[in-house]
Amino acid sequence: MSVVLYGSQSTASLVVHWLLIELGIEHELHQLDFERREQKSPGYLAINPAGRVPTLLIDGQVLTESAAIAMHLADLHPQAGFAPPAGTPARGDYYRWMCFCVYTLMPAYRAWFYPHEPAGEAAVDAVKERARVQLEAAWQQVADHLQDEQGPYMLGAQVSAVDFMLAMLMRWSRNMPCPTDAWPALAAHARRMKDRPALAEVYRREGIDDWT
Ligand SMILES: N[C@@H](CCC(=O)N[C@@H](CS)C(=O)NCC(=O)O)C(=O)O
């Protein structure tokens, strides 16, 4: 199997990079330099017209959207147990929280990090403030879930692709007014995920040294 990841340091490609290492999938990594806007180069746009990362090529098949790729990788390697079997109650929870990442957390982060997109430069402050409120409410919901359930992971005793997604998304809050480490339940979950050797390996390969 030939696997090529197009990513950029510390972005939405991190979860894919992390799962490739967790699952022992050999791959080639192409880090795009956002400062040089390599994600908008004609060559990259030909692969991913959105000009965003991640893009994963598996035997030439183009895959985009970090959550979709994470779920696909988990399905390709069922022995790791990162995705509950289809049709089980746990699978329902898995879809629920993956979709929560995709529909609630990710758009709010997009608004926080790219605040000019929804309504131009004039609305930047209002967009960021709204995104901050949405993110804090969303993280409260995740913290409540972790506190109320048996845990220690989102689906219970077994770590799943949801936990990798959430860890990446928690990381993105590190320089925000209220980082997720302010919620003890989120900090404890993050600690478990940070302690996974594969994350240290991602950090090493991407040259990341914060949120350790
Ligand atoms: N929904 C997409 C979001 C991808 C995304 O927004 N990636 C950002 C980095 S975190 C990006 O490529 N930004 C560069 C740009 O928009 O020019 C996913 O989860 O893969």
Side-chain angles (χ1 to χ4, degrees):
M1 191 164 74
S2 127
V3 179
V4 180
L5 172 61
Y6 290 87
S8 193
Q9 188 200 52
S10 197
T11 63
S13 54
L14 187 141
V15 70
V16 177
H17 196 188
W18 188 359
L19 285 170
L20 289 172
I21 293 172
E22 286 274 352
L23 296 168
I25 302 172
E26 269 188 47
H27 60 279
E28 210 179 288
L29 175 67
H30 291 274
Q31 289 284 57
L32 303 182
D33 184 344
F34 280 7
E35 302 240 314
R36 294 172 53 207
R37 294 189 58 76
E38 286 178 349
Q39 78 276 26
K40 306 296 185 204
S41 70
Y44 185 66
L45 290 175
I47 305 170
N48 181 345
R52 294 182 185 179
V53 298
T55 301
L56 190 71
L57 302 185
I58 300 186
D59 290 334
Q61 181 192 9
V62 175
L63 297 165
T64 65
E65 299 299 331
S66 55
I69 299 170
M71 290 193 285
H72 187 51
L73 291 176
D75 285 345
L76 285 177
H77 292 267
Q79 77 288 349
F82 291 165
T88 60
R91 186 76 174 200
D93 287 339
Y94 176 71
Y95 288 137
R96 173 188 176 196
W97 290 109
M98 270 297 191
C99 288
F100 184 83
C101 292
V102 171
Y103 292 132
T104 301
L105 287 166
M106 292 196 99
Y109 271 122
R110 183 81 199 175
W112 175 264
F113 288 117
Y114 299 83
H116 60 283
E117 285 184 344
E121 291 298 336
V124 156
D125 289 347
V127 167
K128 282 191 85 166
E129 179 54 15
R130 178 84 193 117
R132 183 189 67 74
V133 169
Q134 284 176 323
L135 283 166
E136 289 176 14
W139 284 122
Q140 183 63 52
Q141 220 179 308
V142 176
D144 289 345
H145 175 79
L146 282 168
Q147 242 155 7
D148 295 347
E149 300 298 312
Q150 289 300 314
Y153 299 108
M154 285 301 282
L155 307 186
Q158 174 65 35
V159 69
S160 75
V162 168
D163 300 292
F164 292 93
M165 277 299 289
L166 279 177
M168 175 183 78
L169 293 169
M170 283 193 265
R171 184 167 191 283
W172 292 358
S173 75
R174 67 198 182 281
N175 297 319
M176 289 190 63
C178 187
T180 52
D181 283 345
W183 283 268
L186 299 181
H189 180 279
R191 183 72 266 151
R192 268 175 196 278
M193 299 307 289
K194 287 176 190 177
D195 286 345
R196 297 183 75 89
L199 185 61
E201 183 57 20
V202 173
Y203 278 19
R204 193 188 65 75
R205 294 189 196 182
E206 294 197 8
I208 296 173
D209 58 13
D210 57 2
W211 207 71
T212 52

